[in-house]
Amino acid sequence: MNICLFTQEEINKPLSLSDERGNHLIKILHKKEGDSFTAGIIGDKAGTATITKIDDKEISFSFKPESSGKELFPVKMIIGFPRPIQLKRLLRDVAALGVSEVHLTGTELGEKSYMQSTLVEKGNAYKMLLDGTVQAGSTHVPQLFLHKTLKECLAYLEENASKEHAHHILRLALDNINPKCSVSEAMKDLPCMSCVNPCGEGKTVFAAIGSERGWTDKERTLMEESGYIRCGMGSRIMRTETAATVAGSIILNTLGFLN
């Protein structure tokens, strides 16, 4: 646990020893009265918590905010529903990378039953995103959106993109079937966002990654008509979860956020 996260309501209250976080602090980290640990408020500040008292039921602590908590990056990932076991790892990993939004969508070749998985229910999926956020030592959890079809997903993103007043949106469709260029080539004319603006304000990348059977020609046409550049990451075929992590890493590195 690289950071202990609390809600705004929890940060000023003692932490129960029966809570997973309390148990971790005492049993795994062996914290004692007077010790400190990295803590943060979900969606807000990160800082240092100092343990003031430990009794047989709870841990009392004080919290001092010190930073913004590692803001999320301006990358939104569109992902065809993968197998539930892959989805767990995928949500953790993209949250650890720091993408701002995850849009899970049904695809024409995707297994429809995956969309009915209990994992995609808000509580379970959120826990995976929260785990990835903790791994990254961040306080900011990516937003999760569910869409029945790719068409619905793309329409939602475009409708909300106009509200962001983004002056540069790069749309990428990851595809290993006759891609027009590589991800790096598609991004070569995009300025390093971390150099121009550390927060990447007003600059967003949409990256679409298909489910395990990939995209149909109809979906490829839909994305191209919506301004997406079909690009690849070499000739090897990756799992959806692997492709999401690799694509996210390449994009973030090209934007200068991994320097």
Side-chain angles (χ1 to χ4, degrees):
M1 187 169 65
N2 295 321
I3 189 171
C4 190
L5 294 180
F6 300 89
T7 63
Q8 189 70 57
E9 293 72 28
E10 292 175 323
I11 199 67
N12 294 315
K13 298 178 180 178
L15 178 62
S16 172
L17 290 177
S18 63
D19 186 285
E20 180 181 0
R21 295 163 295 182
N23 183 67
H24 187 88
L25 288 170
I26 301 302
K27 299 291 182 64
I28 306 300
L29 300 182
H30 305 293
K31 295 295 184 181
K32 300 179 176 59
E33 288 185 13
D35 287 348
S36 61
F37 58 93
T38 302
I41 303 170
I42 295 174
D44 205 334
K45 301 289 186 179
T48 300
T50 301
I51 298 174
T52 56
K53 182 181 179 181
I54 301 176
D55 58 29
D56 57 350
K57 292 184 178 181
E58 58 190 22
I59 303 170
S60 297
F61 63 92
S62 60
F63 173 69
K64 180 182 179 183
E66 296 168 341
S67 74
S68 62
K70 299 179 184 177
E71 300 282 352
L72 297 173
F73 302 124
V75 176
K76 302 183 181 185
M77 304 201 80
I78 303 164
I79 300 172
F81 269 95
R83 296 174 184 273
I85 191 169
Q86 292 182 23
L87 183 58
K88 287 183 178 180
R89 295 189 289 262
L90 187 154
L91 291 175
R92 286 195 187 106
D93 289 346
V94 296
L97 278 174
V99 305
S100 60
E101 294 180 9
V102 180
H103 293 261
L104 294 176
T105 181
T107 61
E108 293 187 355
L109 296 179
E111 176 57 54
K112 302 300 183 284
S113 65
Y114 296 165
M115 298 175 65
Q116 309 304 320
S117 167
T118 56
L119 181 62
V120 302
E121 294 177 1
K122 186 175 181 180
N124 292 327
Y126 179 78
K127 186 179 185 303
M128 299 301 107
L129 292 169
L130 190 64
D131 285 350
T133 301
V134 169
Q135 173 64 42
S138 172
T139 61
H140 300 279
V141 185
Q143 288 184 283
L144 178 66
F145 300 85
L146 306 179
H147 307 277
K148 292 181 180 179
T149 66
L150 178 62
K151 183 177 181 180
E152 175 188 302
C153 177
L154 298 184
Y156 177 88
L157 280 165
E158 293 307 315
E159 179 182 349
N160 286 273
S162 61
K163 297 176 183 178
E164 296 172 354
H165 304 291
H167 63 268
H168 200 307
I169 297 176
L170 180 64
R171 299 166 179 83
L172 305 176
L174 279 294
D175 195 351
N176 62 348
I177 304 297
N178 296 323
K180 294 182 177 179
C181 61
S182 69
V183 175
S184 297
E185 288 171 335
M187 299 184 66
K188 65 182 180 181
D189 294 326
L190 198 66
C192 172
M193 293 184 187
S194 66
C195 300
V196 176
N197 186 329
C199 297
E201 185 177 350
K203 299 178 176 67
T204 305
V205 176
F206 297 166
I209 296 165
S211 51
E212 60 186 32
R213 297 187 183 102
W215 306 113
T216 63
D217 287 340
K218 182 179 178 181
E219 288 171 329
R220 291 185 179 98
T221 299
L222 174 63
M223 287 188 287
E224 287 180 338
E225 290 177 345
S226 299
Y228 283 75
I229 302 170
R230 279 176 55 197
C231 51
M233 298 185 295
S235 61
R236 306 185 77 87
I237 301 171
M238 305 178 194
R239 291 178 181 270
T240 299
E241 59 178 303
T242 307
T245 303
V246 174
S249 300
I250 293 173
I251 292 166
L252 290 172
N253 184 61
T254 305
L255 296 177
F257 288 119
L258 301 187
N259 292 340

